[in-house]
Structures are given as structure tokens and as C-alpha cells.
Amino acid sequence: MTDERTRIAVVTGAGSGIGRAVSVELLRAGWSVALAGRRTETLAGTAALVPEGAALTVRTDVARPEEVAALFAATVDRFGRVDLLFNNAGTFGPGGVPVEELPYDAWRHVVDTNLNGAFLCAQAAYRRMKEQDPQGGRIINNGSISAHTPRPHSAAYTATKHALTGLTKSLALDGRPYRIAVGQIDIGNAATDMTARMSTGALQANGEVAPEPVMDVADVARTVRHMAELPLEANVQFATVLATTMPYVGRG
């Protein structure tokens, strides 16, 4: 985005992990950022990492339509428009649970957060971007290596991430007339709390448990920023960023 007026971002799941890293990267680069997440104290912690930054914290459960609507209303009220949504909030769900033992409530929670929440946020951003002047903006969905290849015992997570790829493609097509660019970043083994177990051992497709390499989450954040700051005439449709030697190519 070359127009200095258009640097307003909404980041979901901004209180930790990838969401926090991306928020910090954008704030340090001069973006104004609405930080969304379910815990007010962690959002405040993200904002405190860049005290000079223009940050707005909004407690949001992305699975609740009324809270998503309030998030985007608060963002526009504070900053005037929305130029970027980093659709990042997500959950893996109960780990290590075979599909035949996965409780329906756990399945629903993962679907509500990873897919329904992503849709609600994208829909709200799309509406704002279509109607604002100047028109347009960018949506970046946080996919996963699991949008391509599953891990064992990950039916809910993998299903939602595959579905997110379809959502990305559909939004990218529908957004063309309105200068709304939509892409997806698929991330493998960024060093966050969610991947802390990787260093001690993760279940592999052959049934073994083995440690996996991780990469610095800041490298993911820089990639998201690169995607975000392209002019709207250019779009990274899909990017895969992963620890170089993680077991992905050839997994299974």
C-alpha cells in the first residue's frame, strides 16, 4: 500500500503468538492497528510492546457476530477505515484425540473459531472495504501447513484449514471489482506457545514421536507485512512459510 492514508489494520488473535508478532511488526512500521482477541490483558501486553504505536484494543470473540460487528465499528470510529484484515484467530482443539473420540462440542469450537470466525471477520472487512472511499483493501487469512497436509489426530483443525483455502479463493474472486485483494499465508512451525511441544516431540505419520525444528515467528511477521504493503494491483494469493527442515515435504 503506497498511499500513506491507507495503513489501518485489524489483527485477530493479536494477544499472543503469530498475531502478536504481526501486530508488533505493523505497529513498528507505522500502521494503526486494532488488536482483537478474547483476553483484554494479553491485548494490552501486545500494545505495550510498541508504546509509541497507534493501537486500539478490542476484546472480541470472533465466533460471535455481534462482537465482530463491534470490532469493525470501533476500528472505523477510531481510525476512519479498514485497509487490512489479518484473519489470524484460531485454535487447534484438543490435541492427540483420535477422530472416533473427538467430542462434538470440541469439533464445533474449532469450526466456530477457525472457519466461522474467519468468515465473519472477512465479511465485516469486505463490507467496509467495498463501501469506503477510496475503495478497497486487503484480507490475509492465516492458513496452515494443515491446509495442505494433515497431522495425525487433527480432523477438526485440518478440515477448517482446508475450508479456509476455499474461502480465500472465493473472496479473492468476488473482491476483484472492488479492489479487495485476498491472500493466504500457510505457516509451518513458527516458534510460539502453540508450537512449544514441537521441540520435545510431535506425533508423526508413522506413529513415532519426534522433535521438529521451528523458525522465528518474526520471519512470519515480516512475510505478512510484505504481503500487506503491496499495492492493491498486486496480490500474493498463497504463501507458504515454514521451518526449512520441518517434516512437511514428503510428510506421510
Side-chain angles (χ1 to χ4, degrees):
M1 295 181 184
T2 58
D3 189 336
E4 290 301 315
R5 296 171 303 172
T6 60
R7 299 178 67 89
I8 312 302
V10 174
V11 178
T12 64
S16 63
I18 291 168
R20 171 171 282 185
V22 169
S23 298
V24 167
E25 179 74 17
L26 293 175
L27 286 165
R28 287 177 175 165
W31 286 70
S32 299
V33 183
L35 309 171
R38 290 186 295 174
R39 292 182 292 168
T40 303
E41 64 275 13
T42 61
L43 297 176
T46 298
L49 294 173
V50 192
E52 72 280 10
L56 170 69
T57 62
V58 186
R59 187 196 174 283
T60 310
D61 182 343
V62 297
R64 297 182 176 274
E66 68 279 7
E67 294 191 20
V68 171
L71 164 65
F72 282 85
T75 302
V76 172
D77 184 62
R78 170 74 177 272
F79 297 124
R81 58 184 287 120
V82 177
D83 298 294
L84 171 69
L85 164 65
F86 182 45
N87 222 351
N88 167 72
T91 181
F92 190 82
V97 178
V99 64
E100 69 272 18
E101 298 175 14
L102 182 66
Y104 181 64
D105 286 348
W107 166 274
R108 280 293 304 269
H109 176 65
V110 175
V111 172
D112 281 344
T113 303
N114 294 5
L115 181 57
N116 295 342
F119 164 74
L120 289 170
C121 290
Q123 182 185 56
Y126 190 101
R127 287 169 173 165
R128 297 286 181 178
M129 292 170 180
K130 181 179 177 181
E131 299 301 326
Q132 64 195 8
D133 184 22
Q135 189 181 60
R138 189 180 304 275
I139 298 169
I140 301 173
N141 292 324
N142 183 351
S144 168
I145 296 300
S146 291
H148 306 271
T149 305
R151 288 186 177 278
H153 306 323
S154 66
Y157 185 79
T158 298
T160 58
K161 292 303 185 178
H162 274 65
L164 195 63
T165 297
L167 180 65
T168 297
K169 291 178 179 180
S170 186
L171 290 171
L173 177 61
D174 292 346
R176 288 177 181 176
Y178 312 111
R179 301 188 75 243
I180 300 173
V182 185
Q184 181 171 311
I185 183 166
D186 297 323
I187 301 163
N189 288 15
T192 66
D193 291 343
M194 183 179 284
T195 60
R197 62 187 173 84
M198 297 297 179
S199 60
T200 57
L203 182 63
Q204 305 297 305
N206 63 1
E208 295 179 357
V209 175
E212 294 188 13
V214 297
M215 62 177 168
D216 192 331
V217 70
D219 294 324
V220 175
R222 283 191 290 271
T223 304
V224 173
R225 180 185 163 196
H226 168 70
M227 295 168 70
E229 292 186 343
L230 289 171
L232 291 176
E233 291 72 25
N235 185 41
V236 176
Q237 185 71 78
F238 291 97
T240 302
V241 183
L242 70 165
T244 303
T245 56
M246 74 168 287
Y248 164 53
V249 178
R251 184 194 291 181

